[in-house]
Amino acid sequence: MSDQTYTARFVGHDETTTEELDLIDGLPQKSVTRPGASDGEDLMWELDDDASEGGEYVYRSLGVSGHDYS
């Protein structure tokens, strides 16, 4: 990890993965779009401020990118 990146932990329903992401103006990204599972649809992830502490940044899945869940 450099001064320009941070480790993000993506907590999903069935697995947790980590990835190095770029800081934006010295801060972690608020949301991230990542490739989905085998269906190929992208998933939107949002930073969970309540679970992120001590330099560990946790993201939770919001669902499929571009879908209207309302």
Side-chain angles (χ1 to χ4, degrees), residues 6 10 12 15 22-23 28 33 35-36 39 41 43-44 57 62 64 70:
Y6 65 99
F10 295 91
E15 69 177 314
D22 293 326
L23 292 167
T33 302
D39 62 11
E41 294 193 86
L43 298 176
M44 180 62 96
Y57 298 96
L62 295 177
V64 176
S70 58

Side-chain angles (χ1 to χ4, degrees), residues 34-65:
R34 299 178 73 221
S38 59
D39 62 11
E41 294 193 86
D42 291 340
L43 298 176
M44 180 62 96
W45 296 80
E46 184 174 64
L47 181 64
D48 183 346
D49 289 324
D50 293 333
S52 299
E53 61 182 40
E56 181 175 286
Y57 298 96
V58 176
Y59 288 82
R60 308 253 184 228
S61 177
L62 295 177
V64 176
S65 181

Side-chain angles (χ1 to χ4, degrees), residues 16-43:
T16 299
T17 60
T18 59
E19 184 177 328
E20 290 293 311
L21 298 177
D22 293 326
L23 292 167
I24 298 176
D25 293 329
L27 298 171
Q29 299 175 40
K30 295 288 184 188
S31 61
V32 178
T33 302
R34 299 178 73 221
S38 59
D39 62 11
E41 294 193 86
D42 291 340
L43 298 176

